[in-house]
Amino acid sequence: MGITVREILQLDIFKNAKVIAGHNGLHREVLFVDVIEVPDVGKWVRKDTLLLTTAFAIQNNEDKLRELVKMLAEGGASVLAVKLGRFIDAIPDQVINVANNLDFPIICLPLDVAYTDIINSVLSNILHKQANILRLGDELHQRLNKMVLVGGGLPAVASTLAEVINRPVFIENQHGDLLAQAAETEDKKKYQLLKGVRNRKKPGTLFKEKTFAFLGSSAGNQILVPILAGSKMYGMLVVLVEEDNVDEFVMVAVERSATVAALEIMKEKAIFETEIRLQRDFIDELLSDKQDDEFTLVKRARDFGWNITKEFIILSINIDNFKESLMQIKTESEVQEIKTSIYNLIKKVMLRNMLSPIIAQRSDSFIVFLEIINKPFQESKRDYAHRVAGEIKKLIANHFSHICLSIGIGRPVKEIQKFKDSYKEANQALWIGRAAWGRGKIYNYEDMGVYRLLFSHKDTESLTEFYREFIEPLVLYDQKNGTDLVNTLEHYYNSNSNIMLTAEKLYIHRNTLNYRLKRIKEILGLDIDEAETKICLIMALKISRLLNL
């Protein structure tokens, strides 16, 4: 934190000084003051320095003076102040042109001004400004902490900062979701526009080697400060600004606010995790065979803001490839962050549908109580459940494209004691659906048909024997000859034994289909159109899917 060349010129000690070059560089910041009277100055001059000289080492050598000015400007020095009249009478026009081209200020000093007075005056002002900014920063920090301690949270951080720096403030989480804001309507629109500009940048380049980023565009300027806890980034503080060069106090205020925001986010995270654990424990009990009495369960649910006396459909959401997709993640905390993000995405869909988000996380799966609500338009309970499940699946896929998600849907239930039945049905639909149709889909228990009967049959050996008796000969024939007769038979039955429709689905001529059906009858030694045989073959085909035979 220093003062600009323009501010230095306002000091009494510089009242008779004159800027003769580099007027466009008066915004340069000065942190140090030094005297140069030796020819090899380039080896030790620091950035952001006000350099004082009588040009003793140069005398009246124009070339050396021109090279000195160029070297200082390119080395990051702030300004050169020269005492004319002792060893140099005037600054040559060529040197002035070089300084103007580089926006490097050159100041002419009166001979009677002592270096010690200049150094004391400039450094005193720098220290005073630094102390004042730090004091204001500390006061803001204390004010923010007080606001947070009385329960103001992130909205208090945003509003307090916006009031102090008189600029719009926005606080986001690590996914870019808005957590708090203090801005007028027009500024909110501008924020959304600038967010689009920012999103086109690579995230890793925003804070490379910096604690903040300044992004300027034709749409406006924005300051971005990461909200950090340790090395973990939990969000970002965004400030919209009009100017290209932001006042140092603004930067101090924003960075202090980001620190307080990090503490608040960590506090909210701890509260959230505790609440999630308590909710999960309650739902585990709600879905178990050992429950409290109904009155107690309803009362405990109300402590979470839930009304469980309504009609619900239970969804069981499972991450099929959780272990594979998280193999690259190094720590358990990062794994939990992803699970928390998925939980919040599910919650977002529930709130979007004006539903109470009753959700629990279990290992790599989530349980959702989907409330049945009356709609002004006609939508069956089945379609409603599928629509909401589809929204959940789509939103999670948009955020985590590498995650494969399957969702099982149970039947609607009104009685609290039967919630566990809907949950079991949702899990059965998941197991059956993934076995019969593969992963990554939505499966409704009501659509499982005869699979429900097969799933309930615990004697898998008898099911396997049934499969071997009716369909295995056809499977072995396909494997030996590279034919596709099993698939043909399945399409034939799925098309209600309609020759034209089956041929169309298989993209083959009906004569080809008739030949295949004839071969199937010969291989199995059965009349595949006889009612009893047809039932047995359909069951055997479903057993093969269910048991992955």
Side-chain angles (χ1 to χ4, degrees), residues 520-540:
I520 291 171
K521 293 175 184 178
E522 292 171 353
I523 294 165
L524 295 178
L526 298 169
D527 181 358
I528 62 174
D529 292 312
E530 192 269 326
E532 191 70 24
T533 302
K534 188 174 182 178
I535 291 173
C536 291
L537 287 171
I538 290 172
M539 292 288 283

Side-chain angles (χ1 to χ4, degrees), residues 90-329:
I91 304 297
D93 290 342
Q94 287 190 6
V95 175
I96 292 175
N97 290 337
V98 169
N100 285 333
N101 290 335
L102 295 172
D103 292 336
F104 181 70
I106 298 177
I107 300 173
C108 288
L109 296 173
L111 277 174
D112 60 346
V113 178
Y115 283 166
T116 54
D117 292 339
I118 292 175
I119 292 171
N120 287 336
S121 178
V122 173
L123 292 182
S124 294
N125 274 273
I126 291 173
L127 291 173
H128 177 73
K129 183 176 182 180
Q130 290 176 344
N132 191 47
I133 289 175
L134 290 174
R135 178 182 61 78
L136 292 172
D138 288 339
E139 290 176 359
L140 172 63
H141 197 97
Q142 292 173 13
R143 182 177 170 187
L144 288 168
N145 282 333
K146 287 179 181 178
M147 293 290 290
V148 169
L149 286 173
V150 298
L154 292 175
V157 175
S159 60
T160 302
L161 176 60
E163 179 186 337
V164 169
I165 66 175
N166 195 30
R167 291 167 176 84
V169 174
F170 304 85
I171 300 176
E172 301 174 352
N173 65 14
Q174 67 267 44
H175 303 299
D177 300 322
L178 194 60
L179 301 178
Q181 59 183 320
E184 300 295 332
T185 302
E186 288 304 313
D187 291 321
K188 292 175 184 177
K189 293 178 182 177
K190 188 175 181 180
Y191 160 76
Q192 292 296 337
L193 179 63
L194 292 176
K195 188 175 182 181
V197 173
R198 186 203 330 151
N199 288 342
R200 291 195 286 272
K201 299 276 186 182
K202 292 182 179 179
T205 64
L206 284 177
F207 306 112
K208 194 174 182 180
E209 300 178 357
K210 288 185 177 181
T211 57
F212 71 94
F214 181 91
L215 294 183
S217 71
S218 57
N221 303 325
Q222 51 188 324
I223 302 172
L224 313 172
V225 176
I227 297 174
L228 301 170
S231 59
K232 175 74 176 175
M233 181 171 164
Y234 285 94
M236 190 155 57
L237 201 153
V238 182
V239 179
L240 306 188
V241 295
E242 297 294 334
E243 62 270 37
D244 294 331
N245 294 293
V246 182
D247 182 81
E248 288 174 355
F249 172 67
V250 171
M251 290 309 308
V252 170
V254 174
E255 289 176 349
R256 292 291 180 92
S257 299
T259 300
V260 175
L263 295 173
E264 180 62 18
I265 286 176
M266 294 305 294
K267 183 187 80 174
E268 291 181 359
K269 182 174 181 287
I271 294 172
F272 172 79
E273 289 174 352
T274 301
E275 187 176 55
I276 292 301
R277 178 175 54 78
L278 293 173
Q279 291 176 354
R280 182 184 65 236
D281 292 345
F282 173 72
I283 288 179
D284 282 347
E285 181 178 343
L286 195 62
L287 299 176
S288 71
D289 293 324
K290 297 179 181 179
Q291 297 178 345
D292 276 337
D293 63 274
E294 187 170 317
F295 176 80
T296 302
L297 289 171
V298 171
K299 184 175 180 298
R300 288 174 60 193
R302 282 177 180 158
D303 291 338
F304 298 118
W306 299 344
N307 182 357
I308 59 172
T309 62
K310 299 182 178 182
E311 185 178 14
F312 291 93
I313 295 174
I314 310 298
L315 307 185
S316 181
I317 302 173
N318 190 269
I319 303 172
D320 297 319
N321 62 337
F322 196 76
K323 290 182 180 179
E324 301 97 308
S325 62
L326 300 182
M327 284 181 65
Q328 304 301 320
I329 297 178

